[in-house]
Amino acid sequence: HFYRLIYTNDRTDVEAMNGMGRSYFAKEKYRVSAYWFHESVQNMPEYANAYFDLALAYIALGETDSAITTYRGQLDVDNTYAEAWAGLGKMYYWKNQPYKAINFYNKALRLDPVNSAYGKQLQNIRNDLGYNNDLKFAYIQENEESYTIKSLGSKYSLSKRISDKFRLGGGLLFEHANRDFTTLPGDTIRWIDNARSEERRGGKE
């Protein structure tokens, strides 16, 4: 109410605009909040707090690209704000572009090297970019009219992301299958891996 009174008397009062933006943000009316923060930025482009508040409003709305534009706008005015570089890093990480995010976090840490939060976030991203391995087992039994198949398989995979768009990976697949015939004599045992397959027909082995 009082911020509105101030704004009514002076429609260039940035503190009143930002005050209304923060009030609406606290009431979780993020769209209205973003409007007032945007007005604040337009009226005083050098006012850094308005950019950061506007970015938070866009984040609350789930509008990551708008938050990126806001952080970049702040850096166009003054590129010495570590918070803006770290904000870009977080947004690009959320957009699944970790290598670009690392670049921005590095810039933030060069400006604010003692900020433990930036260092921790950067390390978490680097950990995510390490080698990923996975091992799975599966047992399948299939009953048909003339036979029953029992199969035990294992799959091992290893991968690593090498850029924001590419990931390299490989894997091994092993399967042992035993087909028990109910109407014909003999069984079939089959070994399968990536390189070869082998089938033996005859008595149980």
Side-chain angles (χ1 to χ4, degrees), residues 159-198:
S159 65
K160 188 180 189 308
R161 193 165 185 173
I162 59 172
S163 74
D164 284 337
K165 295 184 178 180
F166 297 101
R167 178 186 294 274
L168 290 178
L172 295 172
L173 172 65
F174 297 96
E175 181 181 3
H176 179 269
N178 188 4
R179 179 182 294 178
D180 296 323
F181 287 90
T182 57
T183 58
L184 297 172
D187 303 317
T188 300
I189 298 175
R190 178 177 297 170
W191 272 100
I192 300 174
D193 61 27
N194 292 59
R196 65 186 180 85
S197 65
E198 178 180 314

Side-chain angles (χ1 to χ4, degrees), residues 64-134:
T64 306
D65 289 335
S66 295
I68 288 174
T69 300
T70 303
Y71 285 127
R72 289 190 180 276
Q74 166 58 45
L75 292 171
D76 288 340
V77 176
D78 186 346
N79 64 1
T80 63
Y81 279 91
E83 185 177 348
W85 290 112
L88 284 174
K90 181 181 290 186
M91 294 302 98
Y92 279 106
Y93 181 59
W94 288 359
K95 286 171 66 68
N96 198 26
Q97 299 182 42
Y99 280 92
K100 186 174 288 188
I102 286 175
N103 181 48
F104 289 125
Y105 272 117
N106 281 331
K107 290 182 179 180
L109 282 168
R110 281 197 290 269
L111 291 168
D112 188 3
V114 297
N115 192 307
S116 59
Y118 299 162
K120 183 177 180 180
Q121 290 162 357
L122 179 58
Q123 188 58 49
N124 287 339
I125 297 175
R126 286 176 171 162
N127 290 341
D128 288 344
L129 292 175
Y131 285 96
N132 295 316
N133 58 76
D134 186 43

